Amino acid sequence: MLTLEKRPNPSRAWAIVTPILAVILTMIAGGLMFAVLGKDPVEAIRTIFWDPLFNAQFASYSRPQLLVKAGPLVLIAVGLSFGFRASIWNIGAEGQYIMGAIAAMGVALAFYPTNYWFVFPLMVLAGAFGGWAWAMIPAFLKNRYGTNEILVSLMLVYVAENIESWMAFGPMRNPQGMGFPGSRNLQQYPAAHNSELIAGTGLHWGVVTAGLAVIIGYVLLKRHIFGFNIQVAGQAPRAARFAGVDPKRLFSLCMGLSGACAGLAGMFEVAGPAGQITDSFNVGYGFTAIIVAYLGRLHPIGILLAGLLMALTYIGGEIAQLSLNLPAAAIQAFQGMLLFFLLGVDVLSNYRIRIKRRAQA
Amino acid sequence: MIAGIDPVVLIASLMAASTPILLAALGELVAERSGVLNLGVEGMMITGAICGFIVAVHTGSPFLGFVAAAAGGAALALLFAFLTQVLLSNQVATGLAATLFGLGLSSLMGQGYSGIKPPPTANVPFGPLAHLPVLGPILFSHDWVLYFSLALVVGTWAFLKYTRAGLVLRAVGENHDAAHALGYRVRLIRTLALAHGGACAGLGGAYLSLVRVPQWTEGITAGAGWIALAIVVFASWRPGRVLLGAYIFGGVSVLQLRLQAAGIAIPVQILSMAPYLITILVLVVMSARRGRAAIGAPAALGRVFHASD
């Protein structure tokens, strides 16, 4: 009979192996799912994981997309990972992403059509502020009244989506848009446009910020008292209190930080690849980032790799839609499956499996 | 009141609007009383919505649709149970995974089903009773699922309060180590509670796709599962208050729809926010009113159980 024996400390070796194992298991289970849908599983997996990078026909288009999609995912996930380590569950990053974008768009439209140099930096600040402020609502309610932050942050996603749609149809609608919903397109407003820094790479300021977030995140986590406090608060809340960690302050910091990161991601997206606020501006990066954070083991370097992998599945999914007629939703189910497997195989790093005979009387 | 809104019609339609949330919240209540926080309700609801829809369309029977919906929701819940109870994964993260997976799976299964009308679910024939003024539309002109949801409120209450099985379930939720020491099978009991919760969520989802809307659209639940979770907190884990909570939220969402239809000069999107804002407000009021200990949450809620030797 198999029994589980708790390890005194999570195994470091397994902590690195499990995400890879989860990806392999997801490929197998995903292949089965594609087979059920009547697609060749090997071809589907190859289309999703190989073609975006190496296919002669698509790769020139899809390689830059890798950074465009990984940027927001990594930025949001790094922000979230701090809170998750301390059991602070901000799952409303999608809403904070939207509010960051709306705040930045507000700044851009206020200065339209001037070409001052400070428009873009001001938008960055506004984006971070928008996301921060939206995340501080659940943080304030938790600290002041003990309200569950999971539910509040999630409810605020739906509120933010409604604000986004209201903005697209109302206050921010492009006056020269021939009556179509949606704001002005910032790609046509140079002072506010988050353009590609090196042509053909997909590298824009958001990707640079995501890279910085990984480095800063690493330093904070490994070399700074803040990271230490978070780890202690997650593993032993009582010990953290004795060590002088103020749980409320830590809560506000983690929520605010993750909100600001999500807001920044929204800002760079609306100023660059998306260009405008429409009622379908948000595409679920805030939720996928949760998977990315876990796949990366809540570690900045891991998150970087996980973000790239997840971006790959997005692009591969798009290619598979075109070439194999695979429904868009299949990729969403695929990503959900990945998180399932990841959490499932985690048992190997926290527990040891022992084969035990039943005790004989 | 605003002209064009008849209170009797409003009450009758708020009952129907509340039923999906009521069903899902009742199921989640039982799961949480056994000590498991299942954040996958939204995913289980939408899985039920599509399973029920597909089966109802192909068999022509709404009843079989609801059965399939319960089975679909329970299947996803069993997956959640396997991960959290056997593989001892984090309940919050696993719940999110279940929701994300359910949303993806449902839109995958629903390919080619949008725009189809499902077979109608008939009202229970009460004969002349349905024509009574005021009481008729409110009490005697609904479908069987709505009456089932009301019966489930009473059933859940009686089960938890008066049966031995209910007592054991609550014991597991309050202190799983003590329950384990007494010889109760903690993981089995929690798995059953989760399967029940998933089945209820599936029924709630199917009520949306087969009765309320009634058709299949991607993301049809639009956060109803999360609202159900909030209602369980609002209700302090008591079935009677779940009914009250669900009907308040149903009322708010029906009222805002009526206001939209009445062409009031508030943007539609602002009105659509109302149910979510009210949910937050109610959560705040509930958590502010009393201390954490007295709030009625099961003591072992969300804690991983591992019977160490």
Side-chain angles (χ1 to χ4, degrees):
Chain A
M1 192 186 146
L2 295 174
T3 56
L4 295 175
E5 189 183 286
K6 195 164 177 70
R7 293 177 195 269
N9 286 308
S11 154
R12 289 196 137 204
W14 275 111
I16 294 170
V17 174
T18 45
I20 300 166
L21 189 63
V23 171
I24 295 170
L25 285 172
T26 311
M27 283 192 186
I28 297 170
L32 287 175
M33 180 177 80
F34 298 138
V36 170
L37 289 168
K39 315 285 177 204
D40 178 3
V42 179
E43 203 193 335
I45 297 289
R46 205 204 62 220
T47 310
I48 293 171
F49 288 98
W50 185 261
D51 282 2
L53 294 177
F54 303 110
N55 184 296
Q57 197 186 339
F58 305 118
S60 58
Y61 161 77
S62 54
R63 263 188 224 143
Q65 282 293 310
L66 195 65
L67 289 183
V68 170
K69 294 224 159 43
L73 287 175
V74 170
L75 186 52
I76 302 172
V78 169
L80 290 176
S81 66
F82 283 98
F84 286 176
R85 271 183 188 266
S87 292
I88 295 164
W89 300 101
N90 173 15
I91 58 171
E94 185 80 358
Q96 293 138 24
Y97 171 86
I98 295 172
M99 295 315 282
I102 290 177
M105 180 57 87
V107 169
L109 293 181
F111 285 101
Y112 184 85
T114 60
N115 259 326
Y116 296 117
W117 61 269
F118 56 77
V119 173
F120 192 74
L122 210 56
M123 285 169 66
V124 174
L125 288 179
F129 176 79
W132 174 83
W134 207 241
M136 284 316 278
I137 300 173
F140 170 77
L141 294 178
K142 170 81 170 196
N143 282 341
R144 186 87 170 73
Y145 302 109
T147 315
N148 182 317
E149 82 274 15
I150 299 176
L151 292 171
V152 174
S153 63
L154 201 103
M155 288 293 130
L156 286 174
V157 174
Y158 293 98
V159 175
E161 278 179 347
N162 275 304
I163 294 178
E164 169 191 277
S165 154
W166 176 45
M167 287 294 159
F169 284 91
M172 286 190 177
R173 179 191 277 206
N174 184 356
Q176 289 149 358
M178 323 286 245
F180 284 106
S183 68
R184 281 185 198 280
N185 196 322
L186 296 184
Q187 288 165 358
Q188 283 135 30
Y189 177 24
H193 184 207
N194 170 26
S195 55
E196 230 179 4
L197 295 173
I198 305 168
T201 55
L203 187 77
H204 61 65
W205 283 113
V207 179
V208 174
T209 311
L212 284 176
V214 169
I215 297 166
I216 296 170
Y218 184 84
V219 173
L220 274 183
L221 190 68
K222 297 286 171 192
R223 296 277 176 270
H224 195 273
I225 187 75
F226 175 64
F228 178 75
N229 285 346
I230 279 173
Q231 301 200 29
V232 176
Q235 284 164 12
R238 247 172 78 82
R241 268 202 300 281
F242 289 132
V245 179
D246 179 355
K248 289 188 175 181
R249 201 162 152 261
L250 190 72
F251 196 90
S252 299
L253 268 173
C254 285
M255 289 296 279
L257 187 71
S258 54
C261 284
L264 277 174
M267 177 270 152
F268 287 119
E269 192 69 17
V270 81
Q276 57 180 158
I277 298 272
T278 60
D279 61 343
S280 56
F281 161 71
N282 62 313
V283 290
Y285 284 142
F287 292 114
T288 313
I290 298 171
I291 305 182
V292 171
Y294 267 92
L295 186 61
R297 315 241 55 162
L298 307 180
H299 187 289
I301 310 288
I303 288 170
L304 178 66
L305 297 174
L308 287 168
L309 181 76
M310 205 52 100
L312 192 64
T313 65
Y314 264 118
I315 303 157
E318 277 171 17
I319 296 176
Q321 249 172 286
L322 292 173
S323 61
L324 298 178
N325 232 343
L326 200 70
I331 221 60
Q332 213 185 337
F334 193 76
Q335 291 172 346
M337 224 184 256
L338 178 59
L339 186 52
F340 260 138
F341 278 115
L342 198 67
L343 294 164
V345 293
D346 236 11
V347 72
L348 296 171
S349 49
N350 293 324
Y351 295 87
R352 212 174 258 141
I353 296 178
R354 281 283 156 88
I355 302 166
K356 212 164 76 174
R357 298 230 174 79
R358 282 200 182 270
Q360 281 157 3
Chain B
M1 268 312 280
I2 295 136
I5 297 179
D6 176 1
V8 174
V9 178
L10 188 72
I11 293 174
S13 51
L14 87 80
M15 290 173 76
S18 312
T19 302
I21 306 175
L22 177 60
L23 283 165
L26 281 172
E28 174 64 12
L29 178 122
V30 173
E32 289 194 14
R33 286 299 279 267
S34 82
V36 200
L37 180 62
N38 173 12
L39 291 186
V41 182
E42 175 87 359
M44 292 163 199
M45 266 186 109
I46 201 157
T47 307
I50 188 61
C51 289
F53 191 83
I54 291 176
V55 169
V57 164
H58 285 291
T59 61
S61 153
F63 177 76
L64 286 178
F66 278 103
V67 172
L76 188 54
L78 284 174
L79 192 58
F80 174 86
F82 176 72
L83 279 160
T84 54
Q85 302 308 306
V86 179
L87 299 181
L88 307 170
S89 64
N90 179 307
Q91 292 177 9
V92 174
T94 312
L96 287 174
T99 291
L100 294 174
F101 179 66
L103 289 172
L105 185 71
S106 65
S107 41
L108 186 60
M109 288 167 73
Q111 300 281 322
Y113 283 94
S114 46
I116 300 177
K117 264 206 132 17
T121 309
N123 284 354
V124 178
F126 278 109
L129 284 178
H131 302 297
L132 285 175
V134 184
L135 284 182
I138 294 177
L139 291 181
F140 301 113
S141 59
H142 296 293
D143 51 86
W144 64 270
V145 188
L146 193 146
Y147 296 112
F148 173 77
S149 72
L150 294 175
L152 195 64
V153 176
V154 180
T156 307
W157 170 75
F159 169 79
L160 288 173
K161 196 168 166 80
Y162 293 113
T163 68
R164 188 178 162 72
L167 181 67
V168 171
L169 183 124
R170 284 188 286 140
V172 168
E174 292 299 337
N175 187 338
H176 48 218
D177 294 318
H180 175 72
L182 285 171
Y184 296 122
R185 301 178 65 185
V186 174
R187 296 197 295 193
L188 178 72
I189 290 161
R190 288 189 168 164
T191 303
L192 290 176
L194 280 168
H196 168 78
C200 289
L203 284 179
Y207 196 79
L208 279 171
S209 63
L210 292 177
V211 181
R212 277 293 292 165
V213 176
Q215 55 173 315
W216 169 252
T217 47
E218 274 187 30
I220 190 171
T221 45
W226 295 104
I227 293 184
L229 277 159
I231 285 176
V232 176
V233 179
F234 160 77
S236 326
W237 290 267
R238 291 187 207 157
R241 294 197 190 168
V242 165
L243 179 70
L244 178 70
Y247 277 19
I248 290 175
F249 292 101
V252 171
S253 44
V254 167
L255 192 62
Q256 64 93 1
L257 283 174
R258 298 271 150 163
L259 288 174
Q260 283 184 23
I264 196 166
I266 302 173
V268 177
Q269 293 91 353
I270 305 277
L271 288 172
S272 309
M273 284 176 207
Y276 307 111
L277 288 175
I278 299 279
T279 306
I280 295 173
L281 190 71
V282 166
L283 281 172
V284 170
V285 170
M286 286 310 291
S287 43
R289 232 180 41 194
R290 44 196 129 158
R292 284 224 90 175
I295 205 164
L301 184 61
R303 282 178 35 212
V304 172
F305 171 71
H306 177 234
S308 312
D309 299 350

